[in-house]
């Protein structure tokens, strides 16, 4: 049922990476509950622009939960209170009339704030560049089903591949660890025969890049798994541990 | 060395030392339970261990494991706090599936360590230490360094030690309830099925170990009241 709600928005404002930020409170009036969270921020920004103020900077792109661009730490949860959904899939019907909604950027040394709610997530690209791919000499297109893969393995690989690299795992982790992301990116290839060739090198390269970029050590709190918009399982982390330890032992 | 300079390696050190310490606790608990049956039998075990070379080697080994576990715990925690960044979240909620213990392992570990110091003062300093230094700093009524049964009786007839040991063992339960499945997860012996299995097995195992310890404390406490 659609209705209108009014609430306070407590948003982190920070002019630049080096500048000190602080919260600013904005009053939002009569917002339809069918508005998505990002549309609501669009409404806020329109009001701010009309009033001659600087709009709030936030990341967004596809607005259908597949690109991994949107972020936001809303009321103590990455991507807000909904489970298995990104911020762009979050609707205002999740919130109550008169509530104060706190919106913060991802907070992690690996993801420094660029401005307001936008953080620099290039660290993930660097981890991918370290080995999150398969080197292939492209020739003719191989026949479909030339390499048999069991349904179970294919499903697990697809589950791992559903990671959109949004960074919610790092934002949720009290250790700022990127293990869920790295483990999903290692698993999606490690489970398949095509990924076997470079498996050991990949696990070592991606993990050492993760460590080098200043992400923390996993302590198995499972906060990442609980907050992941794609419900990536920590069984991937166990697989990464296995792959990495096996690679190091065979060195 | 990958055990030192990679995040997974450092975690493996925590995992393996933790596993060894759990095995030690299991042995210690089994030994304590003998005191439920007979104080004399318990003293026979104390004599068997005493300050014999194998007991000293074992103690030294445990000390090394413990120091590694502590040093790596602080090292990992410092790195993790740094990785979290300088600004903390204003609002932060713990998801339901996240155990409280898992986010407070260092604090629980420190409580366990403080309890250990009390435990050393109560028992170790009156037993193995006296035997090593050929000292005679015994509690009045204690019949030699291997009279563990007397020390149990003496310590747990004082209600405040019962409280201290209960708090200590409760902290240990929380610490191990996360540590048990976590050590399997860290070495990669886990998955979507085994993660839940280890958690259940761990909860049962750890509860039994802690109950074993508590039973001795309360048995001697109630015995002292009678």
């Amino acid at each position: 049922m659609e209705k209108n709600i009014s609430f306070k928005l407590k948003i982190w404002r920070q002019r630049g990476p080096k500048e000190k930020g602080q919260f600013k409170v904005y009053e939002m009036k009569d917002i339809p509950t069918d508005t998505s969270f990002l549309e609501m921020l669009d409404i806020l920004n329109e009001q701010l622009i009309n009033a001659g103020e600087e709009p709030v900077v936030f990341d967004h792109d596809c607005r259908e939960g597949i690109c991994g661009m949107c972020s936001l730490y809303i009321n103590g949860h990455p991507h807000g209170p909904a489970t298995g959904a990104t911020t762009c899939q979050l609707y205002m019907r999740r919130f109550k009339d008169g509530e104060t909604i706190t919106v913060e950027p991802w907070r992690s040394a690996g993801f420094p704030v660029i401005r307001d709610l936008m953080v620099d997530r290039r660290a993930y690209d660097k981890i991918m560049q370290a080995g999150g791919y398969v080197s292939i000499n492209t020739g003719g297109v191989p026949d479909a089903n030339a390499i048999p893969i069991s349904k179970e393995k294919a499903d697990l690989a697809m589950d791992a591949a559903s990671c959109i690299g949004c960074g919610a795992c790092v934002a949720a982790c009290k250790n700022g660890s990127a293990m869920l992301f790295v483990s999903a990116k290692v698993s999606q290839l490690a489970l398949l025969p095509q990924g076997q060739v470079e498996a050991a090198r990949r696990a070592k390269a991606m993990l050492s890049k993760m460590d080098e970029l200043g992400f923390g050590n996993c302590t198995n709190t499972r906060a990442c798994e609980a907050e992941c918009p794609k419900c990536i399982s920590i069984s991937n982390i166990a697989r990464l541990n296995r792959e990495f330890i096996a690679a190091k032992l065979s060195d | 060395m990958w055990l030192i300079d990679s995040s997974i390696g450092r975690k493996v050190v925590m995992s393996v030392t933790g596993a060894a310490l759990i095995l030690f606790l299991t042995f210690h608990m089994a030994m304590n339970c003998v005191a439920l049956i007979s104080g004399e039998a318990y003293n026979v075990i104390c004599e068997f261990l005493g300050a014999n070379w194998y007991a000293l080697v074992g103690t030294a080994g445990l000390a090394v494991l413990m120091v590694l576990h502590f040093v790596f715990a602080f090292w990992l925690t410092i790195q993790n706090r740094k990785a979290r960044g300088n600004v903390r979240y204003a609002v932060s909620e713990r998801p339901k599936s996240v155990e409280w213990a898992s986010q407070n392992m260092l604090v629980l570990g420190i409580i366990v360590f403080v309890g250990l110091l009390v435990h050393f003062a109560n028992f170790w300093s009156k037993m193995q230490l006296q035997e090593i230094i050929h000292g005679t700093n015994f509690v009045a009524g204690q019949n030699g360094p291997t009279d563990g049964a007397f020390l149990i009786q003496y310590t747990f007839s004082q209600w405040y030690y019962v409280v201290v040991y209960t708090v200590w063992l409760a902290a240990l339960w929380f610490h191990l309830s996360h540590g048990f499945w976590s050590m399997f997860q860290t070495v990669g012996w886990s998955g979507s099925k085994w993660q839940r299995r280890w958690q259940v097995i761990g909860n049962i195992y750890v509860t039994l170990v802690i109950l074993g310890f508590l039973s001795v404390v309360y048995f001697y406490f109630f015995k002292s009241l009678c």
Side-chain angles (χ1 to χ4, degrees):
Chain A
M1 276 283 267
E2 197 199 7
K3 57 172 185 176
N4 288 357
I5 56 170
S6 300
F7 49 87
K8 277 197 185 103
L9 268 180
K10 194 177 157 197
I11 293 184
W12 184 258
R13 301 301 308 260
Q14 183 174 342
R15 285 193 62 84
K18 296 261 184 283
E19 303 205 26
K20 235 177 113 65
Q22 79 277 324
F23 282 104
K24 269 194 100 167
V25 180
Y26 301 96
E27 295 273 356
M28 299 300 287
K29 293 234 178 314
D30 293 326
I31 301 293
T33 49
D34 280 358
T35 315
S36 83
F37 199 86
L38 295 185
E39 283 167 350
M40 183 275 294
L41 288 180
D42 292 338
I43 294 171
L44 168 69
N45 276 346
E46 211 161 317
Q47 289 172 5
L48 289 176
I49 291 166
N50 287 340
E53 289 178 48
E54 290 273 356
V56 177
V57 176
F58 61 95
D59 266 324
H60 62 102
D61 192 7
C62 75
R63 299 210 178 191
E64 55 181 13
I66 54 170
C67 75
M69 268 316 278
C70 60
S71 53
L72 308 186
Y73 200 85
I74 305 160
N75 279 353
H77 294 280
H79 293 296
T83 50
T86 55
T87 295
C88 64
Q89 294 169 308
L90 179 68
Y91 286 82
M92 296 316 294
R93 64 180 84 98
R94 287 265 175 191
F95 301 93
K96 289 192 283 291
D97 194 53
E99 193 177 349
T100 299
I101 304 171
T102 309
V103 190
E104 299 171 74
W106 286 173
R107 297 218 189 274
S108 158
F111 293 155
V113 172
I114 297 171
R115 186 166 181 165
D116 295 340
L117 303 171
M118 185 191 269
V119 298
D120 180 357
R121 285 174 284 185
R122 275 177 295 178
Y124 269 12
D125 298 333
K126 289 175 193 156
I127 294 172
M128 288 306 277
Q129 284 157 7
Y133 48 81
V134 188
S135 313
I136 292 175
N137 294 318
T138 47
V141 180
D143 283 341
N145 302 325
I147 307 170
I149 297 164
S150 70
K151 166 88 171 109
E152 199 188 342
K153 285 261 169 86
D155 284 351
L156 286 172
M158 274 307 283
D159 286 348
S162 66
C163 167
I164 52 175
C166 65
C169 40
V170 172
C173 179
K174 78 175 182 70
N175 309 324
S177 172
M179 283 288 273
L180 195 68
F181 167 77
V182 177
S183 71
K185 297 302 178 192
V186 163
S187 289
Q188 66 184 7
L189 299 173
L191 284 157
L192 303 175
Q194 292 90 333
Q196 293 301 316
V197 187
E198 295 163 298
R201 198 194 64 81
R202 177 180 307 113
K204 284 186 286 186
M206 290 181 81
L207 193 93
S208 74
K209 186 52 97 177
M210 178 193 105
D211 291 346
E212 180 197 316
L213 292 169
F215 291 102
N217 309 280
C218 174
T219 59
N220 306 323
T221 68
R222 307 180 72 186
C224 53
E225 173 184 67
E227 300 287 13
C228 175
K230 296 294 157 187
C231 306
I232 305 284
S233 160
I234 60 155
S235 61
N236 290 301
I237 296 182
R239 185 176 299 104
L240 169 63
N241 291 342
R242 218 153 49 225
E243 292 277 327
F244 181 81
I245 294 168
K248 282 293 179 188
L249 290 180
S250 63
D251 269 356
Chain B
M1 182 59 181
W2 68 280
L3 289 173
I4 290 168
D5 54 28
S6 74
S7 59
I8 294 181
R10 288 187 290 269
K11 289 285 299 159
V12 168
V13 172
M14 287 303 282
S15 165
V16 174
T17 53
L21 292 171
I22 289 182
L23 286 176
F24 162 71
L25 283 176
T26 309
F27 159 75
H28 195 324
M29 183 275 294
M31 181 181 116
N32 286 10
C33 285
V34 172
L36 291 175
I37 306 160
S38 152
E40 279 168 41
Y42 182 77
N43 280 354
V44 170
I45 302 176
C46 293
E47 275 161 40
F48 171 69
L49 292 169
N52 290 316
W53 69 269
Y54 44 84
L56 291 179
V57 168
T59 309
L62 279 170
V64 170
L65 288 172
M66 201 99 75
V67 167
L68 281 175
H69 202 74
F70 289 162
V71 169
F72 274 70
F74 279 101
W75 186 14
L76 287 165
T77 305
I78 290 165
Q79 284 189 324
N80 291 346
R81 284 193 68 86
K82 219 175 116 199
R84 201 72 185 82
N86 298 323
V87 190
R88 305 276 130 180
Y89 287 118
V91 182
S92 196
E93 257 181 44
R94 181 161 55 89
K96 278 188 207 80
S97 56
V98 176
E99 314 152 71
W100 172 81
S102 73
Q103 298 192 316
N104 295 283
M105 287 298 270
L106 187 80
V107 176
L108 288 167
I110 291 170
I111 297 173
V112 170
F113 180 70
V114 171
L116 197 64
L117 294 181
V118 175
H119 183 56
F120 276 5
N122 287 156
F123 293 91
W124 181 76
S125 69
K126 308 285 179 208
M127 298 176 74
Q128 196 181 56
L129 181 67
Q130 295 306 320
E131 213 174 324
I132 296 170
I133 62 170
H134 302 290
T136 51
N137 182 18
F138 300 131
V139 175
Q142 186 187 349
N143 189 17
T146 57
D147 192 5
F150 173 80
L151 285 178
I152 295 179
Q153 204 180 321
Y154 172 75
T155 307
F156 300 125
S157 62
Q158 291 148 294
W159 65 268
Y160 41 90
Y161 278 123
V162 175
V163 174
V164 169
Y165 275 70
T166 306
V167 172
W168 181 37
L169 289 166
L172 189 60
W173 185 89
F174 278 107
H175 192 78
L176 298 183
S177 69
H178 175 69
F180 192 95
W181 75 263
S182 188
M183 68 194 185
F184 289 100
Q185 170 80 11
T186 299
V187 295
W189 190 4
S190 186
S192 50
K193 279 186 193 146
W194 275 97
Q195 193 277 321
R196 277 190 288 273
R197 283 179 193 163
W198 285 129
Q199 214 167 357
V200 172
I201 294 169
N203 280 342
I204 295 171
Y205 187 88
V206 168
T207 304
L208 287 176
V209 170
I210 299 297
L211 280 180
F213 281 122
L214 279 176
S215 65
V216 177
V217 173
Y218 281 91
F219 178 79
Y220 278 89
F221 176 59
F222 287 120
K223 209 172 150 188
S224 75
L225 294 180
C226 299

